[in-house]
């Protein structure tokens, strides 16, 4: 595995791989790798001859007061995990290299980016979309693998790729969970052991919603009411949002139409950690 820090060197390397007819997949992360990331790398390896993993904690997608400075950065461990997973190139630029003096161009994500995570974290999706576009251009990848864990991020990226005619395929990977259902996340280390136990209420809420939908309950208010009562059974849980939305547009709906996919989207504070999760809902 080759480690590259300089964006120009990464781009030159990618170009020479393309000239050798290599099919390139990229997996973009902020590091502190876990099983969710490893699953994305595995999918990339199944589909591509060359896998580029990027690790970059992007200051542009953190609001003031968020955890940018304390975000975990266990680089040695990450590099060892990436190598063991079969990554070919580990691209790890620093902030100055990504945002050289005078940087001023930004992607403005549209309406999807103003809802839910976008309204809770102003500027987050524009910062995310900007760095994702830069990493697509630097890695020159044919395929990029993203997790459904960050469903709204995925919707914003898919919209951007379509709107800007970006020549890249997007592969969506399912949410990877711990045994008790908590979605794996680099931020789970912030949870105390008491909070960690309570954090399972998000998945319990998702399972209850899935159960109701299987029984053909289409009234989203009824489903959400039950989800909220499960989440609120945890003493340290505070709901930021719990809604049912269309998968592509993130607009809310009162009734689930048959044969249409929706998402239950959740953002919940457990103590001082904000967790997000989602589950697909569909009445067949
Ligand atoms: P992050 O490092 O948190 O920015 O995540 C990098 C990529 O990994 C994104 O595409 C995430 O959606 C994906 N990811 C993170 N956690 C999970 C998970 N538990 N299951 C599936 N994908 C995940």
């Amino acid at each position: 595995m080759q480690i590259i820090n300089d964006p120009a060197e990464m781009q030159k390397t990618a170009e020479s791989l393309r000239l050798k007819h290599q099919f390139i997949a990229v997996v973009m992360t902020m590091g502190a790798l876990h099983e969710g990331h490893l699953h994305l790398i595995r999918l990339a390896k199944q589909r591509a001859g060359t896998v580029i993993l990027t690790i970059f904690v992007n200051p542009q997608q953190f609001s003031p007061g968020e955890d940018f400075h304390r975000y975990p950065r266990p680089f040695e461990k990450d590099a060892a995990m990436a190598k063991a997973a079969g990554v070919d190139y580990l691209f790890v630029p620093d902030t100055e290299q990504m945002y050289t003096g005078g940087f001023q161009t930004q992607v403005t994500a549209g309406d999807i980016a103003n809802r839910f995570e976008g309204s809770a974290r102003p500027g987050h999706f524009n910062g995310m979309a900007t760095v994702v576009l830069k990493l697509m251009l630097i890695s020159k990848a044919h395929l990029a693998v993203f997790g459904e864990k960050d469903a709204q991020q995925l919707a914003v990226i898919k919209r951007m790729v379509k709107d800007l005619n970006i020549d890249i395929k997007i592969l969506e990977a399912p949410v990877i969970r711990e045994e008790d259902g908590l979605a794996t996340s680099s931020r789970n280390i912030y949870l105390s052991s008491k909070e960690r136990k309570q954090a399972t209420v998000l998945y319990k809420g998702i399972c209850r919603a899935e159960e109701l939908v299987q029984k053909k309950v289409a009234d989203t208010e009824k489903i959400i009411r039950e989800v909220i009562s499960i989440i609120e059974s945890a003493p340290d849980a505070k709901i930021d949002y719990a809604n049912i939305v269309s998968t592509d547009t993130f607009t809310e709906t009162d009734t689930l139409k048959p044969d249409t996919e929706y998402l239950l989207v959740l953002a919940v504070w457990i103590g001082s950690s904000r967790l997000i999760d989602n589950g697909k809902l569909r009445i067949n």
Side-chain angles (χ1 to χ4, degrees), residues 133-148:
L133 179 57
K134 281 169 71 71
L135 292 170
M136 284 174 172
L137 295 169
I138 292 167
S139 68
K140 289 182 163 268
H142 300 88
L143 175 80
V145 190
F146 292 96
E148 288 173 348

Side-chain angles (χ1 to χ4, degrees), residues 9-211:
E9 188 190 338
M10 183 69 254
Q11 205 167 36
K12 220 170 105 196
T13 306
E15 178 58 17
S16 68
L17 287 163
R18 274 190 168 242
L19 289 172
K20 287 182 216 142
H21 303 289
Q22 273 293 312
F23 188 83
I24 305 170
V26 65
V27 175
M28 301 175 191
T29 77
M30 298 203 298
L33 300 182
H34 53 70
E35 196 49 45
H37 298 123
L38 293 180
H39 185 66
L40 267 52
I41 296 169
R42 271 180 228 124
L43 289 177
K45 279 199 71 72
Q46 281 166 16
R47 284 164 179 78
T50 301
V51 174
I52 300 174
L53 177 74
T54 74
I55 296 183
F56 181 58
V57 185
N58 175 32
Q60 279 207 358
Q61 68 193 67
F62 287 77
S63 306
E66 285 190 337
D67 56 347
F68 175 71
H69 291 292
R70 71 170 181 142
Y71 197 85
R73 291 168 172 84
F75 179 69
E76 301 300 327
K77 188 172 165 225
D78 282 351
M81 283 171 78
K83 191 173 173 197
V87 167
D88 299 289
Y89 296 91
L90 178 57
F91 176 53
V92 199
D94 63 29
T95 305
E96 287 70 40
Q97 286 166 313
M98 288 296 273
Y99 301 111
T100 46
F103 183 92
Q104 52 183 275
T105 308
Q106 268 244 336
V107 174
T108 306
D111 188 51
I112 317 167
N114 299 326
R115 303 161 183 279
F116 303 101
E117 282 306 280
S119 67
R121 306 178 68 191
H124 168 69
F125 283 125
N126 288 350
M128 179 282 294
T130 303
V131 84
V132 165
L133 179 57
K134 281 169 71 71
L135 292 170
M136 284 174 172
L137 295 169
I138 292 167
S139 68
K140 289 182 163 268
H142 300 88
L143 175 80
V145 190
F146 292 96
E148 288 173 348
K149 158 82 167 42
D150 300 281
Q152 197 175 356
Q153 166 175 296
L154 188 53
V156 170
I157 291 168
K158 281 162 68 179
R159 192 68 248 175
M160 173 177 78
V161 166
K162 200 168 179 183
D163 290 347
L164 302 184
N165 302 85
I166 304 170
D167 188 15
I168 197 163
K169 285 252 164 340
I170 304 296
L171 180 66
E172 305 171 25
V175 183
I176 300 298
R177 301 180 177 282
E178 305 281 358
E179 251 170 52
D180 62 5
L182 177 66
T184 58
S185 165
S186 309
R187 288 188 166 103
N188 289 350
I189 56 158
Y190 299 154
L191 297 165
S192 69
S193 64
K194 186 172 151 243
E195 290 165 348
R196 172 66 188 79
K197 282 188 199 115
Q198 296 181 43
T200 54
V201 289
L202 281 84
Y203 186 59
K204 286 182 185 144
I206 292 170
C207 291
R208 179 64 187 143
E210 283 169 358
E211 233 172 71

